[in-house]
Amino acid sequence: MKYSDPITQVIIVGLICFCCPGMFNALNGAGSYGLSPEDSDVGNKASTALSCMFAFSSLFAGALFNIFGHRVLLILGGLTYTLYVASYLTYYYIQSLAFVVVSSCLLGIGAGWLWTAQGAVMMGYPEEGEKGRFFSIFWTIFNCGGVIGNIIPLAIQWNDEKATGASTASYAAFMTLMTLGALGSIALLPTNKVFRKDGSPVVKVAYANPTGEFLAVIKLFADWRMLCLVPMFFSSNWFYTYQFNAVNAFNFSIRTRSMNSMFYWLAQIFGSILYGSFLDKKEWSRTTRARYGLILLAGVLAATYAGGFIFQSKIGPKGWVYDKHGVPVKDPASWVIYDLVNDTSKWIGPFFLYFMYGITDAMYQGFSYWVMGALTNDTNTAAKYAGFYKFVQNLGGILAPIVQTSTIGNGPSNGDNAINAHGQGMGELIICVVLIFAGVLGAVPVCWKAIKDTTVEEGEVSSEKTEIAYDDVKA
């Protein structure tokens, strides 16, 4: 394997994403970005700012890719991850919310740049028959970041059983890995120096100008198939706020949160492999696979969230107190904090629930991309679908924290929301579940009417599906 081989370059991109968004996923999955539960409002405000800028940046990053190339976007985008974690470390000492929000906006822009560059490499470098193999290699390396990243706070703070937030050493370790990942982009070769097995240069993916990119995505709102899929796209980032904060951050010690998060990302890998194999069964026609896949997805979602309602009935905000500034806040003492060592019997059930949340996430987003891949065989159209998906998805990411900090949420914000909170956060879960199953129902007419059997070989369909799946990532 030569350094100039496409597979070598994709492995390097995988390692970059392992260090940057992979570590981000580890910190995010642990809930409230490593902060204590009482500081959940900070994470929610940061998440809203990040999603706003991510949606905006994704629409126009393609033009920057054409001008500066993938290495510049990966370096600059990767460094915004370091800045983001630095803002949380700063908050740990001086509670600077402004720094957190500004760094969140910058990360939203940088994430759009990074994933545009990553998608261009993944779409342009492999040959037609190698796209599935390239993606599986990248996806495995990238998601290992979420798994291994959780070992950092787990190892550093294992003996600190009372800790509810990440330590300075944990934040410093994340920042170091993210910086190394961003600078590792220097190791990538320019596009014109990467060659395939037959000696031909790789294909550089060309994006339209900013106005063209934006209009191409907006026009999809006139496509009835995309409109039917809007609820699924919209909710595909919504449930992260509930799972990462309301479930993981608010109810477990930091070492337990890290353990939960590590297995959440492992579940993502297992779920995507198993469900992907189900959707690719050669014994069934494409139409049959679409219908069976949606039915299986609905069944697993129903079973998982039934357990979610049972767990939610035992948790949630039950009161409020005045903080040192005389402002009403949710009462941290009203929460049940489980520890994997001291409360093993009580922790094991919620642990399996959180593992299943990881499985359902992989299935839900995987099915979204499989459906889009089944609707077109044209790369340019598929890329537009992916842009539409990320745009709508991040709109959900903007609104979910607002619900969580409201009076019906699990993390009511300071003041009247904290005083008037009711339902122990059950309202937030209900909205989350309604949106998820609205997405399932919206996909029904697409699976039964729009997806057709064609004469395209299965391998070609899988390549197409993989080709657009490269944007399917958490910041």
Side-chain angles (χ1 to χ4, degrees):
M1 185 169 61
K2 298 178 181 178
Y3 196 71
S4 60
D5 287 347
I7 188 63
T8 304
Q9 298 298 301
V10 168
I11 290 174
I12 295 174
V13 172
L15 291 172
I16 294 167
C17 291
F18 169 97
C19 292
C20 295
M23 293 300 122
F24 171 90
N25 283 347
L27 191 61
N28 189 19
S32 295
Y33 302 98
L35 296 179
S36 298
E38 57 264 28
D39 292 320
S40 62
D41 287 353
V42 177
N44 281 322
K45 291 174 182 177
S47 180
T48 298
L50 193 159
S51 295
C52 286
M53 297 309 298
F54 196 177
F56 176 81
S57 178
S58 297
L59 291 176
F60 301 102
L64 295 177
F65 172 83
N66 274 341
I67 298 172
F68 298 109
H70 59 294
R71 292 189 296 178
V72 172
L73 295 191
L74 284 167
I75 292 173
L76 295 179
L79 289 175
T80 62
Y81 284 85
T82 304
L83 178 65
Y84 182 76
V85 176
S87 71
Y88 277 93
L89 178 57
T90 303
Y91 188 87
Y92 185 80
Y93 289 101
I94 63 173
Q95 288 76 54
S96 176
L97 178 60
F99 184 24
V100 173
V101 172
V102 170
S103 68
S104 299
C105 292
L106 293 175
L107 175 59
I109 296 172
W113 294 352
L114 182 142
W115 287 114
T116 295
Q118 179 270 346
V121 171
M122 294 302 303
M123 286 188 286
Y125 280 21
E127 297 180 20
E128 184 64 27
E130 296 181 324
K131 294 182 183 294
R133 173 169 167 259
F134 275 49
F135 175 70
S136 63
I137 291 172
F138 167 82
W139 193 249
T140 299
I141 296 172
F142 161 61
N143 276 289
C144 281
V147 175
I148 297 175
N150 281 285
I151 296 177
I152 295 173
L154 197 60
I156 293 175
Q157 297 177 260
W158 177 261
N159 293 321
D160 191 0
E161 61 186 63
K162 295 183 179 180
T164 57
S167 66
T168 300
S170 296
Y171 281 124
F174 280 117
M175 292 169 60
T176 300
L177 286 172
M178 288 174 169
T179 302
L180 289 174
L183 297 179
S185 304
I186 299 173
L188 290 167
L189 293 175
T191 304
N192 60 3
K193 293 185 179 181
V194 181
F195 300 91
R196 297 199 177 100
K197 297 175 184 177
D198 60 1
S200 62
V202 297
V203 177
K204 181 178 179 179
V205 177
Y207 290 88
N209 57 62
T211 302
E213 288 288 317
F214 179 76
L215 292 178
V217 173
I218 296 301
K219 286 179 180 178
L220 290 176
F221 280 98
D223 187 331
W224 72 269
R225 302 168 302 176
M226 291 296 105
L227 290 177
C228 287
L229 293 172
V230 161
M232 179 169 278
F233 297 169
F234 183 81
S235 57
S236 62
N237 252 16
W238 185 288
F239 47 70
Y240 284 145
T241 301
Y242 174 77
Q243 293 171 0
F244 294 166
N245 292 342
V247 176
N248 203 25
F250 297 166
N251 301 289
F252 303 97
S253 63
I254 188 63
R255 65 181 179 182
T256 310
R257 285 158 57 180
S258 298
M259 180 69 78
N260 293 346
S261 181
M262 180 175 67
F263 277 89
Y264 181 93
W265 299 112
L266 272 175
Q268 289 268 355
I269 297 173
F270 295 147
S272 61
I273 293 173
L274 295 175
Y275 191 51
S277 299
F278 180 86
L279 291 173
D280 282 345
K281 286 182 72 69
K282 295 181 179 180
E283 295 85 353
W284 298 334
S285 66
R286 180 192 277 181
T287 303
T288 301
R289 282 178 282 149
R291 297 172 182 178
Y292 284 180
L294 186 61
I295 293 171
L296 176 61
L297 174 62
V300 175
L301 284 169
T304 300
Y305 279 93
F309 275 106
I310 294 174
F311 183 61
Q312 182 64 49
S313 67
K314 302 176 182 179
I315 62 173
K318 303 178 181 66
W320 58 275
V321 295
Y322 289 108
D323 66 7
K324 61 183 179 181
H325 303 293
V327 177
V329 297
K330 53 185 177 293
D331 183 7
S334 71
W335 292 83
V336 180
I337 304 298
Y338 298 109
D339 182 77
L340 61 89
V341 176
N342 299 325
D343 310 295
T344 305
S345 61
K346 296 178 180 178
W347 163 72
I348 199 69
F351 166 77
F352 280 112
L353 172 64
Y354 202 64
F355 184 86
M356 286 306 301
Y357 279 149
I359 293 286
T360 56
D361 175 30
M363 293 178 64
Y364 200 75
Q365 300 211 45
F367 188 75
S368 298
Y369 274 94
W370 187 90
V371 169
M372 286 188 288
L375 292 177
T376 180
N377 291 325
D378 179 72
T379 302
N380 291 330
T381 301
K384 292 181 177 66
Y385 285 171
F388 179 84
Y389 174 80
K390 298 304 292 184
F391 177 73
V392 176
Q393 183 186 61
N394 278 287
L395 294 181
I398 293 169
L399 298 177
I402 296 176
V403 173
Q404 186 165 95
T405 56
S406 71
T407 58
I408 64 172
N410 281 274
S413 57
N414 300 344
D416 290 340
N417 283 356
I419 296 175
N420 298 312
H422 58 87
Q424 293 186 210
M426 189 66 76
E428 180 185 350
L429 176 58
I430 291 173
I431 291 176
C432 181
V433 172
V434 167
L435 288 172
I436 288 171
F437 281 93
V440 172
L441 291 176
V444 170
V446 179
C447 292
W448 262 258
K449 296 293 184 182
I451 296 179
K452 304 294 183 181
D453 298 328
T454 68
T455 57
V456 179
E457 294 294 331
E458 182 67 17
E460 293 178 359
V461 175
S462 296
S463 295
E464 169 204 348
K465 175 191 68 177
T466 303
E467 195 161 21
I468 63 171
Y470 307 133
D471 284 334
D472 185 19
V473 291
K474 294 75 179 172

